[in-house]
Amino acid sequence: MLFIITLAEVHNLTIHEFHNLTEPTFIKLYAPWGGHCKHLAPKFEELSTVTNVKVAQVDCTDESVNHTCSELNVRGYPTLKLFFNNQFIDYEGDREVGAMKLWVETTIFPLMQHASISDLKQLAASCNTSTFFFASTSHPEQFENILSEFKGKIVIGYEDSITERFVAVRESVEITFTGSLNTFELKKFVQIHSNPIFITFKTPSFWKYTIAEVPVIILFGKENQVQPELQKLQEMAKTFKYQAQLGFLPSNSDTKWFITNQLIKDTEKNAIFVIKKEKIVHRYLDKDSFEDLVDFIYQESERK
């Protein structure tokens, strides 16, 4: 069963309601004066209109709930928690509507949903993710157990079938899993194909895209200066989609400090670099043609 979308609103929890929660509730613990809280407010309002999970908030500056916020170990505002199964689960993902919706709904419901590919495509689109997974199986619990660590991160479903099949539908391209149905190979397949084919990286979530078994090739630069290279790399992503993860990291005040001495030395130059586990190779765009640079660093990443 997929989720029925209903209109809702962010409910302001009273202290009595807070201590008597019974249904799953996604809660924002905030301070009205906080800049990050103000930035999140419209997104949280939007979230309440696209999910039938209860969305609520608690003003931690209210003296009646100060003690409760402290008990929940609220160290900064806003803090997001899901009340589910009589416990509070911390949300540490992106503060975007699609990411929050995906995490809340797939945390509450079973990882493996009995649904058609068209239903899963609709759900994935509502969560602003371009990839979902689908199994034809008579043993969905096998996939549920192996892929449990991806709960809250992916959309996945199944149909009843005596013929075992597992696919990733990545930006409308169906990719069939051809390995053995074991823990290592299934996890690797999901990890590689759970990302968009081309990513515009955001600093806080940057490193989570670099842990897969494929190289991560990244264009770094000022967006108004690298449009030709950006378009070429987006086209290359369609070819590299099985062998590498491609993306763009815009050069700005937030990213320069982040990559200094970690990825490239001169943050004033536009560059192309690749990360393969702990190995980092980079070249600046003033050397050779762009295609040659991409090919060079990809080959470098493949060397032992």
Side-chain angles (χ1 to χ4, degrees):
M1 292 289 291
L2 291 180
F3 315 113
I4 300 172
I5 304 304
T6 57
L7 293 178
E9 61 180 6
V10 179
H11 179 69
N12 292 291
L13 285 177
T14 66
I15 190 65
H16 175 75
E17 291 172 327
F18 187 85
H19 287 294
N20 290 277
L21 287 171
T22 56
E23 64 180 304
T25 307
F26 192 44
I27 304 170
K28 176 181 69 174
L29 300 118
Y30 75 107
W33 42 258
H36 292 298
C37 297
K38 292 178 180 178
H39 181 71
L40 180 61
K43 296 179 182 179
F44 216 63
E45 289 284 350
E46 182 181 348
L47 176 65
S48 71
T49 69
V50 296
T51 178
N52 64 341
V53 176
K54 185 176 180 180
V55 177
Q57 60 188 10
V58 174
D59 179 358
C60 288
T61 64
D62 185 329
E63 292 183 1
S64 67
V65 297
N66 276 161
H67 184 64
T68 299
C69 291
S70 297
E71 286 181 342
L72 288 175
N73 200 31
V74 176
R75 298 183 181 278
Y77 304 121
T79 292
L80 302 179
K81 292 178 182 285
L82 173 66
F83 177 80
F84 180 56
N85 281 346
N86 292 317
Q87 62 178 324
F88 290 94
I89 306 170
D90 290 325
Y91 175 71
E92 298 176 349
D94 291 341
R95 304 291 176 90
E96 299 298 330
V97 175
M100 291 188 291
K101 172 182 167 63
L102 175 62
W103 182 82
V104 169
E105 295 185 350
T106 56
T107 297
I108 290 174
F109 295 94
L111 176 66
M112 298 292 292
Q113 297 184 60
H114 194 275
S116 67
I117 283 185
S118 60
D119 287 336
L120 292 170
K121 182 178 181 179
Q122 183 179 1
L123 176 59
S126 74
C127 296
N128 293 334
T129 180
S130 56
T131 297
F132 61 91
F133 299 86
F134 183 76
S136 298
T137 181
S138 57
H139 300 286
E141 70 281 357
Q142 178 183 10
F143 291 91
E144 181 95 28
N145 293 334
I146 291 176
L147 302 176
S148 60
E149 70 183 66
F150 294 99
K151 191 173 177 65
K153 300 176 184 177
I154 62 173
V155 172
I156 181 171
Y158 75 98
E159 65 177 0
D160 296 309
S161 174
I162 59 174
T163 303
E164 295 285 324
R165 188 171 79 105
F166 187 61
V167 300
V169 182
R170 196 177 188 195
E171 297 184 19
S172 299
V173 177
E174 192 171 296
I175 305 164
T176 301
F177 174 71
T178 57
S180 301
L181 289 175
N182 60 54
T183 300
F184 176 77
E185 292 196 34
L186 268 178
K187 284 184 177 180
K188 179 179 177 181
F189 180 82
V190 170
Q191 189 178 62
I192 290 173
H193 293 297
S194 59
N195 299 326
I197 291 175
F198 190 89
I199 299 171
T200 297
F201 292 99
K202 296 181 179 180
T203 303
S205 57
F206 180 84
W207 289 110
K208 75 177 183 180
Y209 294 107
T210 68
I211 60 175
E213 293 296 317
V214 297
V216 182
I217 298 173
I218 302 167
L219 172 65
F220 170 78
K222 299 177 178 65
E223 193 164 1
N224 62 342
Q225 296 178 1
V226 295
Q227 280 302 311
E229 292 83 2
L230 182 56
Q231 291 176 11
K232 289 179 181 178
L233 199 64
Q234 288 171 329
E235 284 300 312
M236 290 179 186
K238 299 174 183 178
T239 301
F240 275 99
K241 62 188 174 189
Y242 304 114
Q243 296 86 22
Q245 174 69 64
L246 275 65
F248 174 58
L249 180 66
S251 172
N252 53 47
S253 57
D254 292 328
T255 59
K256 283 183 179 180
W257 69 266
F258 171 71
I259 66 171
T260 301
N261 298 323
Q262 293 190 66
L263 305 176
I264 65 176
K265 295 179 181 179
D266 190 344
T267 59
E268 295 304 317
K269 290 185 177 181
N270 302 322
I272 186 89
F273 62 92
V274 63
I275 302 174
K276 176 71 179 293
K277 294 185 177 178
E278 296 181 357
K279 184 177 181 179
I280 301 172
V281 180
H282 75 274
R283 287 291 185 275
Y284 298 112
L285 295 190
D286 56 3
K287 299 180 180 180
D288 304 317
S289 74
F290 183 72
E291 292 83 355
D292 288 340
L293 285 175
V294 174
D295 184 64
F296 173 78
I297 64 170
Y298 176 70
Q299 296 302 324
E300 282 288 301
S301 74
E302 291 295 282
R303 294 179 184 177
K304 300 293 183 181

